[in-house]
Amino acid sequence: MSEQAPPPLAPVDEDWQTALAVVAHPDDMEYGAAAAVARWTRRGKRVVYAMVTSGEAGIDGLDPEQCGPLREAEQIASAAVVGVDTVEFLHHPDGVLEYGLPLRRDIARLVRRHRPDVVITTNYRDTYGGVFPNQADHIAAGRAALDAARDAGNRWVFRELLGEGLEPWNGVRMLLAAGSPESGHGVDVTETFALGVASLAEHKAYLAGLGDGAMADPEEFLEGFGRMTGSRLGVRYGSAFEVVYLRPPE
């Protein structure tokens, strides 16, 4: 019995102007979503990056005190490749990130400050669509981003933010979770695929730390997933997203 082909993807709604991307680590955006960001910034949209950790536990042979600043610098350079000029770091501890009120509050603060139409994160599901488990920090950051996008609109949640001069922001229309096994939407990144590859390649120290694994070759790794997603969109390369609507789609 032949395996059934995955269903087609619907195009992501791109009728928005500002997005805030909140992910656990430097490099998380680059494994699939950065090419979409390049498409959006080329079209005049503003995208801000926020890294919940500095990825300081990500390179086995490098002490976290040295690794964190190095990975922050690589992320800033990586973001610039795809047209992102603002990268913030929340400095939560890498590898032991906890979902909870402090994390939700810190992300809600960002949402109120940047006032995005869209929040972007990565897969927050327990797995990648099979038996391969998701990483704990990804789950915590993604779920907190979803909840904080709603928290930001309620003035009576995290009331201390009012004291910081941050008024509620209830303008987030949807959350886009890149690489989710529940992805039903996609973005045509054929024209910006090379920028996505170049963006990942800026994480030189991290990629070197991976050794010769499958993820260590930016172009080869991204091409496989990009073509797979593109086939579901009817284009050469695509980026897949799970869309969670926080307001009814128009």
Side-chain angles (χ1 to χ4, degrees):
M1 185 175 181
S2 61
E3 187 176 339
Q4 188 173 2
L9 295 172
V12 167
D13 177 7
E14 296 180 312
D15 185 19
W16 50 269
Q17 285 302 312
T18 304
L20 171 67
V22 181
V23 297
H25 314 108
D27 81 80
D28 283 353
M29 285 295 292
E30 284 66 62
Y31 279 102
V37 172
R39 169 188 169 98
W40 293 326
T41 59
R42 275 189 166 189
R43 296 184 174 206
K45 303 181 191 301
R46 181 170 185 262
V47 181
V48 172
Y49 279 7
M51 308 291 125
V52 174
T53 80
S54 297
E56 67 274 12
I59 301 176
D60 183 69
L62 195 59
D63 185 274
E65 291 186 3
Q66 294 175 285
C67 185
L70 174 60
R71 297 202 66 197
E72 287 187 5
E74 289 188 340
Q75 181 59 69
I76 291 168
S78 172
V81 171
V82 294
V84 174
D85 59 13
T86 301
V87 183
E88 301 200 25
F89 299 91
L90 300 184
H91 299 120
H92 284 253
D94 184 20
V96 290
L97 188 61
E98 291 185 302
Y99 172 88
L101 296 180
L103 181 56
R104 281 171 51 189
R105 180 185 60 241
D106 285 352
I107 299 173
R109 178 183 289 112
L110 287 173
V111 173
R112 288 193 182 191
R113 185 146 49 83
H114 291 291
R115 306 175 90 76
D117 308 308
V118 173
V119 169
I120 304 166
T121 191
T122 53
N123 177 26
Y124 57 87
R125 302 289 180 176
D126 289 338
T127 74
Y128 284 95
V131 296
F132 187 69
N134 197 355
Q135 200 264 354
D137 286 359
H138 298 163
I139 297 171
R143 289 178 176 169
L146 173 58
D147 290 336
R150 292 174 292 189
D151 296 334
N154 188 332
R155 74 173 53 251
W156 307 124
V157 175
F158 304 129
R159 290 181 232 178
E160 60 269 38
L161 297 181
L162 294 173
E164 297 175 18
L166 296 171
E167 288 295 318
W169 174 248
N170 201 27
V172 179
R173 293 168 42 197
M174 60 183 174
L175 176 133
L176 304 178
S180 167
E182 301 297 323
S183 294
H185 291 73
V187 176
D188 179 1
V189 297
T190 303
E191 293 183 2
T192 54
F193 175 77
L195 289 172
V197 173
S199 184
L200 178 54
E202 288 292 337
H203 294 275
K204 298 178 181 68
Y206 179 70
L207 293 171
L210 293 176
D212 296 326
M215 293 174 65
D217 184 326
E219 186 165 9
E220 183 177 344
F221 184 87
L222 293 178
E223 185 166 6
F225 285 99
R227 286 188 181 277
M228 189 185 311
T229 302
S231 69
R232 297 175 64 188
L233 275 170
V235 300
R236 185 175 183 184
Y237 294 118
S239 291
F241 294 89
E242 176 183 353
V243 178
V244 181
Y245 290 104
L246 302 183
R247 294 182 176 184
E250 296 177 359

